[in-house]
Amino acid sequence: MTNDETAVAGLTRGDGTPVRVLVVDDEPDLAEVLSRVLASEGWAVRTAGDGAGALAAARDFLPDAVVLDVMLPDIDGLQVLRRLRADAPDVCVLFLTAKDAVEDRIAGITAGGDDYVTKPFSLEEVLARLRGLLRRAGMARQADAGGCSPSAAWPWTRTPAR
């Protein structure tokens, strides 16, 4: 790992707690692999296999970022995004989906997604894109940096269940 990679791997929330990422995908094996990789970054991770589960998990977990599939068994990812944004307009959303047509990518970004990655994908690319989204949104800081305020993604002041 280079010095640059070491610096970025230490992202935390503004209050020093681990970045929270919700992974929403109806492919359990993919969700598990992605969760393990994100957890190896020191991030807190939850998963959901459908849209309703994603919305419930988001209300409970209060994620800083959501990795969201478009094709879910109950509510499509675009609708999940709209509902997430109603509660947390600043949460970072990265679409991770097999829908790879230009129109699909445009629809995802136009609907409010912050980034769009198509399957098959590189785990390193997804990590890099998540890090970039979190940094640009001001929701994460390097572990050795100081003076940042806590994440503003979720308006609630309660402590999420662990």
Side-chain angles (χ1 to χ4, degrees):
M1 193 179 292
T2 67
N3 287 339
D4 289 345
E5 290 170 328
T6 303
V8 219
L11 288 179
T12 60
R13 302 177 88 214
D15 62 3
T17 60
V19 167
R20 295 181 189 136
V21 181
L22 175 61
V23 175
V24 184
D25 201 297
D26 60 337
E27 297 177 46
D29 291 341
L30 185 147
E32 177 63 25
V33 167
L34 191 53
S35 294
R36 286 178 188 237
V37 168
L38 298 175
S40 75
E41 290 290 299
W43 297 353
V45 183
R46 294 264 178 97
T47 62
D50 58 29
L55 295 169
R59 282 189 292 274
D60 179 52
F61 185 53
L62 313 178
D64 301 302
V66 178
V67 177
L68 181 59
D69 192 1
V70 173
M71 297 183 294
L72 297 170
D74 56 351
I75 307 168
D76 78 33
L78 298 175
Q79 185 60 37
V80 170
L81 170 66
R82 288 182 192 98
R83 294 183 189 181
L84 284 172
R85 292 273 192 234
D87 287 337
D90 296 327
V91 68
C92 298
V93 176
L94 180 138
F95 281 112
L96 183 63
T97 182
K99 295 188 72 141
D100 62 354
V102 171
E103 325 51 80
D104 294 321
R105 290 180 286 188
I106 291 170
I109 298 298
T110 301
D114 297 299
D115 205 345
Y116 197 103
V117 176
T118 58
K119 297 174 184 174
F121 60 93
S122 155
L123 288 169
E124 293 83 5
E125 179 184 4
V126 170
L127 275 171
R129 289 177 181 264
L130 279 171
R131 289 181 194 127
L133 288 175
L134 290 162
R135 280 193 314 268
R136 281 191 302 279
M139 291 184 199
R141 65 179 176 91
Q142 290 181 7
D144 58 350
C148 294
S149 61
S151 171
W154 290 89
W156 298 278
T157 56
R158 67 179 174 84
T159 302
R162 293 196 187 244

